[in-house]
Each structure stands twice: as structure tokens, then as C-alpha cells.
Amino acid sequence: MREIIRSLSLNVTTTLAIGNNKVSLKKSLVITAGLLASFSSAASNISLAFNNDNIILGYDLEMKEALKLKGDFLQTIDNGYTADTGLYAFQDVGSTFFELGAKAVRMDNDNGDGYALAFGGLGGLRLTQEFSVEAGFHFSPEILAFGDTENYTQWAFRANYELMPTASLFAEYNHTTVEYKNMPKERLTSDFLFGLKWIF
């Protein structure tokens, strides 16, 4: 796993160009790879989800028996980007699983840019061995938001289908809004996305 991560940090020089926004992913991936390499992992995955207007890169790393590090990078076609990373306690019992924790969020969007510390988590249910559903929520009040940001809210719903032990397909609805100072609430995304998750 560490060799794979080192390879990613050395070799990935992908540049994501969407409309007039051109975002270099190399720096983000190198930082993420450094974080992942510093922990001994029980399991981890990398995911990619997209539609016509958005793309989301995500990672999820189990650090210990009931603790994980995870994050996402969201790039929109016409409204900048949002990046986050967080620490979560999790429990997996029978057909149910839960996560609870907090994430640091960096936003650079049309109406402003800033930071937030958002608390939340997710809950899920395995309906069959291959198929599962989950729902997540995060919120940051004004006191935990900085820069131009005043409030951050995210809802996410996902259905997963395991193709094989190392790969899953999923469909996701992601609704993310942010309030900036002296500006109306801005919807960063409210869309369905389709993706693939690779499990290591």
C-alpha cells in the first residue's frame, strides 16, 4: 500500500481543466499521499465520481480498529472547488455501519473563499452482500467558519454495488451549500453523480 501511495505522489501530474477553471491536482494528491503513508492502514479506498458539471475525488483510510481518515476534492464546472479532510470514529456491526467525526473544509468559489470546521457523519445499511445504501450530513456554524464563509451544509446519499472485492460502483446525490458574508446562500452542487471505488 505504501509503495502504491509513493508511486502516486511521484508520478501523478494530472491537470484538471474544466471550462475556464484549471486546477492542478498534483499538489493535492501529494499532500494526501503523505498523510496516507504516515499511517498503518487496515483498509483503504480511492473513489472517483462525476457528472456533466462536477467531479469528486475521494479517499478513505482505516487507521485503527475504529478510526478513519477520509476526504474529498470537489471541482465544479463554473463555481470553483471545495476540498476537505476529516477524522471519524466508525462502527460496523452486522448489516449496519456508522461514522461520526469532523472535517476541515477549504472553499474557493465564485462568491468568496474561506474555511470551515464541519461536524457530522453517516449511517448505512447493507441490504445484500453486494448492495448497500448510506446517508451523510455535515454542518459548520458561523463560529467555526473563517474567511468569507459563514455557514456550510452538506447532505449526501449513496447507493453502492460491489462488483468484486476490490471495486464497487455507486450512484450519489450530493447537496452542498455555503453562506458567505453579505451574500445570499450559494448552492455549490445539488446533483446526481456516478462513480467507481477502488479498494486496497
Side-chain angles (χ1 to χ4, degrees):
M1 177 62 188
R2 292 189 179 186
E3 292 301 320
I4 294 172
I5 293 168
R6 290 193 188 97
S7 177
L8 279 172
S9 66
L10 291 173
N11 298 326
V12 176
T13 57
T14 305
T15 298
L16 177 64
I18 302 179
N20 293 324
N21 296 316
K22 189 174 183 181
V23 178
S24 172
L25 296 179
K26 183 178 180 181
K27 184 176 180 181
S28 176
L29 288 174
V30 168
I31 292 171
T32 299
L35 286 171
L36 298 183
S38 64
F39 295 99
S40 174
S41 62
S44 60
N45 68 70
I46 297 173
S47 62
L48 172 66
F50 60 91
N51 61 14
N52 195 51
D53 299 322
N54 307 278
I55 185 169
I56 301 177
L57 300 175
Y59 75 91
D60 188 324
L61 170 68
E62 291 185 18
M63 296 158 49
K64 294 184 178 180
E65 184 178 351
L67 196 64
K68 66 169 56 178
L69 185 71
K70 60 187 295 186
D72 292 300
F73 179 89
L74 164 66
Q75 173 70 47
T76 68
I77 195 169
D78 57 4
N79 197 15
Y81 73 88
T82 302
D84 65 70
T85 190
L87 189 63
Y88 297 83
F90 71 94
Q91 186 171 28
D92 194 330
V93 180
S95 61
T96 61
F97 52 95
F98 305 93
E99 296 177 7
L100 185 64
K103 64 180 181 178
V105 186
R106 160 65 177 163
M107 291 156 282
D108 188 348
N109 309 116
D110 289 349
N111 288 339
D113 59 84
Y115 303 85
L117 181 62
F119 288 84
L122 64 81
L125 178 66
R126 293 185 187 85
L127 301 177
T128 68
Q129 185 175 354
E130 297 84 12
F131 185 70
S132 65
V133 293
E134 61 188 66
F137 174 75
H138 286 84
F139 176 72
S140 175
E142 185 175 352
I143 196 170
L144 295 177
F146 309 94
D148 299 326
T149 308
E150 291 192 343
N151 289 295
Y152 168 90
T153 306
Q154 181 188 51
W155 291 92
F157 304 91
R158 179 182 287 190
N160 303 278
Y161 183 78
E162 184 179 295
L163 292 174
M164 58 188 74
T166 56
S168 296
L169 290 174
F170 63 88
E172 174 182 303
Y173 175 74
N174 189 311
H175 181 83
T176 304
T177 59
V178 61
E179 292 183 29
Y180 292 112
K181 294 177 181 178
N182 304 317
M183 297 291 291
K185 181 182 292 187
E186 181 177 13
R187 187 181 65 185
L188 303 184
T189 180
S190 183
D191 297 284
F192 285 96
L193 301 99
F194 301 91
L196 181 62
K197 178 168 64 177
W198 296 271
I199 302 162
F200 299 94

